[in-house]
Amino acid sequence: MQPAGRRTVVDLALQDNSIRAEAASRSRVLARLQLGDSGFRYLTRAAALGVLALLGGVIVSLVIGAWPALRQFGPGFLVSERWNPVTENFGALAPIYGTVITSLIAMVIAVPVGLLIAMFLTEMCPMWLRRPIGIAIELLAGIPSIIYGIWGLFVFAPFLQDTLQPFLIRIFGDIPVLSTLFSGPPYGIGMLTSGLILAIMVLPFITAISRDVFDAVPPVLKEAAYGIGCTTWEVVRYVVLPYTRVGVIGGIMLGLGRALGETMAVTFVIGNAHKISASLLAPGTTISATIANEFTEAVGDLYTSSLIALGLILFVITFIVLACARYLLLRIERRIG
Amino acid sequence: MNSRYAGRRSRNIIAMILSLSATLFGLGWLVLILGTLLWEGFSGLSLRVFTEMTPPPGAAGGLLNPIMGSLLLTFLAVIIGTPIGILAGTYMAEYGRHEKLTSVVRFINDILLSAPSIVIGLFVYEVVVYPMGHFSGWAGAIALAVIVIPVVVRTTEDMLTLVPDTLREAAASIGLPRSLMIVKIAYRAAKAGMITGILLAVARISGETAPLLFTALNNQFWSTDLNAPMASLPAVIFQFALSPYKDWQALAWTGALIITMAVLTLSIVARALSASGKQS
């Protein structure tokens, strides 16, 4: 094991004339192995550092690419709604707004549903069904986002246009605040549709992590609660959820990170309109959809640079969200493990 | 007392019904999406899809060039990304298990794992496409490789950590150098899990579209030139689905079916492999 130890063995052997030749060749082999050993160590270390360099590279290249736009527009870039390729006047507010609103819609739906599914899987479901249902939910996570996009465009959006959206407009038409939220013609595509598709996409992430942390609750705790006569709901509400709070929040943040950065599914159904509308039914745009739609067609350095600046903003937002998520999940892992 | 009990019971029943319906809701989407996909995709599925090039609007054709492009890009991305990922994971699990560096790399890697893929596309555009001056198959492969690396790092580290230390000690006690111990003993013990990781990475990138849009771009024609724009299934689906032509849209559905089936098969195989690895 220790290089020093190895050498002493060889030295001892070398004192004996009869095996000198053999020992010499043996020391050559050992030297080669030693070289290979430290070589391998440095190689793996370089690869590990390479992962860090990758993240650094992403940040540096985005900042460099975004610099012309940031210099031109300054902090006003973040709060300006203008997006005019002809006059080369760009602002990021509309895409940021769209990203935040669609992710918000997604989380409002996916969080309760995901937690309820996790509750079903850990507390109610018969044993033999747990694995198949768990796998099925995880398959939802495996479907590529472009599939959600094409399905959303051809199936889901027309369906919403015919059913849910006219319904919402009719129901909330007379209520003051909600009527603005659900005003305008039912286009089918738009912020609400994107939010709903995102909800379906992040649902499996939230479900899988909540189920895993629910499963990690020590059975004694649950048994004790059941033992004093708690109902299933009370066990989940007052024992499981408080115990796993940190992990659940971590899972939710992870889902949020996905929703914020999701590109293809949203690009299909958002409508790519650079304006902020009060109505959720109106078309809008998100950061990722803007980049996907316009990057290859962007003429002029300022246009390209503005799109990269959007990418930088998206990266910073998701980085913060994901870092929080990982930190929280790390905390619960330490407590359990 | 009695009414309180009734209230608790009815709340419980409501919660149970809600969680059951939530599960049905979740499964319903899977059935709906796969159902539509089979329905729309199967009608266009024929031998022609695998033998002919993408057509101009209004003509008949297939998806041969995007299928080949996707296979080639995926293959290259795995060839580039996997060794880096395995080496980094090896360092984290074997050499630096308790080092500060390892926890930092793990944290950063987990963030890369769920970073928006479109940002990866922008990064590769800045680093590869812009200096080269044109879109290329290489840029696409590199973008996908950047997505492969974190997946492989994660699974390699997890799987190597599960290898019992007694195996390592046994190898060390018969004088095996550490590098050989890792390659011959630890890798072999963790093989199933590591292959699972690679399969999951392949599943992940074979459906990725966003990072290809401005790296590999797209190509209407047959091309295996890695220095030129290259077609890929997701990019063609994106282009065809958003086009106004009915036959292009039909091909997009067929392409979507092919990708989904490939991805689902990969993830089911990966799952079966990791399950069998756990038992043995």
Side-chain angles (χ1 to χ4, degrees):
Chain A
M1 201 65 222
Q2 294 301 318
R6 239 185 240 147
R7 215 167 276 135
T8 38
V9 173
V10 175
D11 291 341
L12 275 174
L14 282 174
Q15 287 167 359
D16 189 342
N17 259 338
S18 64
I19 55 166
R20 176 167 286 183
E22 194 195 330
S25 86
R26 175 176 272 233
S27 84
R28 264 202 306 279
V29 169
L30 276 177
R32 209 174 58 223
L33 284 177
Q34 222 166 23
L35 191 72
D37 221 27
S38 55
F40 191 68
R41 191 192 162 101
Y42 283 122
L43 199 63
T44 58
R45 197 182 159 90
L49 291 172
V51 173
L52 294 185
L54 205 56
L55 187 85
V58 170
I59 295 172
V60 169
S61 73
L62 285 182
V63 169
I64 292 175
W67 188 244
L70 295 178
R71 201 182 44 202
Q72 175 84 16
F73 303 118
F77 186 71
L78 288 173
V79 292
S80 157
E81 200 192 325
R82 298 156 304 179
W83 190 267
N84 192 337
V86 181
T87 59
E88 299 222 307
N89 210 339
F90 301 103
L93 193 60
I96 293 176
Y97 173 81
T99 301
V100 171
I101 295 295
T102 50
S103 302
L104 212 63
I105 297 174
M107 299 319 283
V108 164
I109 297 166
V111 168
V113 174
L115 289 180
L116 282 169
I117 298 180
M119 170 183 158
F120 178 82
L121 284 175
T122 51
E123 295 301 320
M124 293 166 58
C125 186
M127 272 301 174
W128 57 273
L129 253 179
R130 284 186 189 184
R131 223 176 116 71
I133 293 184
I135 290 177
I137 298 279
E138 281 163 29
L139 285 186
L140 256 186
I143 297 177
S145 69
I146 189 155
I147 309 299
Y148 286 95
I150 185 172
W151 179 79
L153 180 67
F154 289 118
V155 181
F156 198 50
F159 169 77
L160 288 179
Q161 189 174 19
D162 291 341
T163 56
L164 184 69
Q165 295 189 348
F167 173 76
L168 288 172
I169 294 171
R170 213 168 47 227
I171 291 267
F172 297 118
D174 300 328
I175 307 168
V177 182
L178 292 174
S179 68
T180 33
L181 269 187
F182 300 105
S183 64
Y187 289 109
I189 55 173
M191 309 273 264
L192 182 69
T193 313
S194 312
L196 292 176
I197 297 239
L198 283 179
I200 304 172
M201 295 187 68
V202 296
L203 181 63
F205 292 98
I206 295 176
T207 305
I209 293 185
S210 320
R211 182 198 55 189
D212 291 348
V213 291
F214 283 7
D215 264 337
V217 175
V220 228
L221 284 184
K222 287 194 276 185
E223 283 159 11
Y226 279 121
I228 57 164
C230 286
T231 60
T232 309
W233 165 246
E234 285 163 349
V235 170
V236 173
R237 173 68 187 80
Y238 298 108
V239 178
V240 175
L241 268 184
Y243 188 84
T244 56
R245 198 176 50 225
V246 177
V248 167
I249 295 174
I252 292 172
M253 302 277 265
L254 208 60
L256 180 61
R258 286 270 160 176
L260 288 169
E262 181 43 55
T263 309
M264 295 324 290
V266 175
T267 306
F268 274 89
V269 293
I270 189 94
N272 203 33
H274 273 281
K275 58 169 194 264
I276 297 175
S277 329
S279 171
L280 293 180
L281 304 183
T285 191
T286 66
I287 295 178
S288 49
T290 304
I291 302 172
N293 266 320
E294 302 180 18
F295 196 82
T296 45
E297 289 154 19
V299 238
D301 287 342
L302 203 56
Y303 195 177
T304 310
S305 170
S306 298
L307 288 168
I308 295 176
L310 278 183
L312 180 65
I313 294 170
L314 177 67
F315 190 66
V316 170
I317 298 174
T318 48
F319 186 93
I320 294 169
V321 170
L322 292 172
C324 290
R326 290 300 171 191
Y327 174 71
L328 292 174
L329 287 173
L330 216 64
R331 255 176 63 184
I332 195 158
E333 249 169 50
R334 264 189 214 137
R335 190 163 77 193
I336 292 167
Chain B
M1 197 62 206
N2 227 349
S3 74
R4 191 167 178 189
Y5 175 66
R8 285 177 55 202
R9 202 171 61 166
S10 57
R11 261 199 301 280
N12 187 44
I13 289 173
I14 292 171
M16 302 253 261
I17 291 173
L18 277 178
S19 84
L20 182 65
S21 33
T23 311
L24 294 177
F25 176 81
L27 293 178
W29 292 119
L30 184 68
V31 173
L32 261 177
I33 293 175
L34 290 185
T36 334
L37 207 54
L38 286 173
W39 181 258
E40 297 275 351
F42 245 120
S43 54
L45 207 57
S46 63
L47 194 63
R48 163 178 268 166
V49 170
F50 300 98
T51 52
E52 288 183 18
M53 305 297 151
T54 46
L63 294 167
L64 179 62
N65 50 333
I67 291 175
M68 282 313 292
S70 267
L71 287 177
L72 191 62
L73 289 178
T74 308
F75 175 76
L76 283 174
V78 171
I79 293 290
I80 301 170
T82 309
I84 300 176
I86 287 185
L87 286 174
T90 305
Y91 182 81
M92 292 159 73
E94 296 288 340
Y95 290 112
R97 196 178 283 191
H98 305 291
E99 279 177 23
K100 188 107 186 125
L101 174 70
T102 299
S103 40
V104 173
V105 172
R106 190 182 301 132
F107 194 77
I108 295 299
N109 188 65
D110 279 349
I111 285 177
L112 279 177
L113 196 62
S114 20
S117 56
I118 192 146
V119 172
I120 307 286
L122 284 178
F123 163 63
V124 174
Y125 175 86
E126 281 285 300
V127 177
V128 183
V129 178
Y130 191 70
M132 277 174 84
H134 55 85
F135 300 104
S136 67
W138 278 119
I142 291 170
L144 293 180
V146 173
I147 297 171
V148 167
I149 292 173
V151 182
V152 176
V153 169
R154 181 76 201 255
T155 43
T156 305
E157 196 211 346
D158 285 353
M159 290 305 138
L160 285 177
T161 313
L162 288 180
V163 174
D165 275 340
T166 39
L167 276 182
R168 297 196 180 90
E169 284 157 11
S173 72
I174 57 166
L176 211 55
R178 200 161 180 182
S179 58
L180 282 181
M181 179 273 283
I182 293 169
V183 174
K184 304 261 179 202
I185 310 290
Y187 279 176
R188 198 165 289 184
K191 194 171 68 185
M194 287 163 71
I195 293 176
T196 304
I198 297 170
L199 286 180
L200 286 178
V202 173
R204 169 95 195 269
I205 59 171
S206 51
E208 279 291 352
T209 319
L212 292 177
L213 288 178
F214 25 83
T215 50
L217 203 67
N218 200 343
N219 197 332
Q220 201 72 35
F221 307 103
W222 173 260
S223 164
T224 48
D225 180 7
L226 285 166
N227 282 314
M230 182 170 276
S232 61
L233 262 181
V236 166
I237 294 174
F238 183 55
Q239 185 199 352
F240 281 18
L242 286 175
S243 77
Y245 313 110
K246 277 272 167 277
D247 36 3
W248 271 18
Q249 290 176 2
L251 268 180
W253 275 111
T254 309
L257 179 69
I258 296 173
I259 289 194
T260 311
M261 289 305 138
V263 169
L264 292 187
T265 312
L266 275 169
S267 46
I268 289 172
V269 169
R271 211 170 285 277
L273 201 68
S274 74
S276 72
K278 259 177 214 148
Q279 272 156 19
S280 65

